[in-house]
Amino acid sequence: MSNLFLILIGVFIVVANVIGFISYNKKKNLFFAAFTILLSAVLFGAIGGALAVFVIRDAFAVFYGLQIAQYLLFNSIIVFIIAILVTIIKRYNNRTA
């Protein structure tokens, strides 16, 4: 059973990052892409929680969905940090050039 949720975590992380990449290509804004990944973390966490409740049939199975959301939130935080670093580097290069 835990292998199913590990695969689900991997699939949701990949899908969230692909959605973030598509939103970056449309808007050309790295912060908007990171915010899109954050919103998809909430959505996929809810989907994972509902799926866990239906598969395991226990009220405490919602915590599997929360665990999926936790990993997606960590992913979102990493993307926000990368966006901040890229912005700092761009401003530094524009100022010195």
Side-chain angles (χ1 to χ4, degrees):
M1 187 60 62
S2 64
N3 290 335
L4 171 72
F5 291 109
L6 289 176
I7 292 169
L8 195 65
I9 288 171
V11 168
F12 281 162
I13 287 175
V14 169
V15 170
N17 286 329
V18 167
I19 291 170
F21 179 72
I22 290 170
S23 69
Y24 173 73
N25 281 339
K26 285 186 178 182
K27 298 279 186 176
K28 297 295 183 194
N29 188 350
L30 196 56
F31 289 105
F32 183 75
F35 185 67
T36 304
I37 293 173
L38 178 69
L39 290 178
S40 65
V42 174
L43 175 70
F44 290 148
I47 291 171
L51 185 65
V53 168
F54 288 131
V55 169
I56 298 175
R57 296 196 185 271
D58 186 17
F60 291 106
V62 172
F63 294 115
Y64 281 112
L66 292 177
Q67 186 179 10
I68 292 171
Q70 175 188 4
Y71 286 116
L72 289 167
L73 286 174
F74 288 153
N75 182 34
S76 176
I77 290 170
I78 290 169
V79 173
F80 269 119
I81 290 172
I82 290 171
I84 291 169
L85 288 175
V86 166
T87 303
I88 290 171
I89 290 171
K90 278 185 178 179
R91 288 190 182 183
Y92 178 76
N93 286 338
N94 287 339
R95 188 174 52 168
T96 59

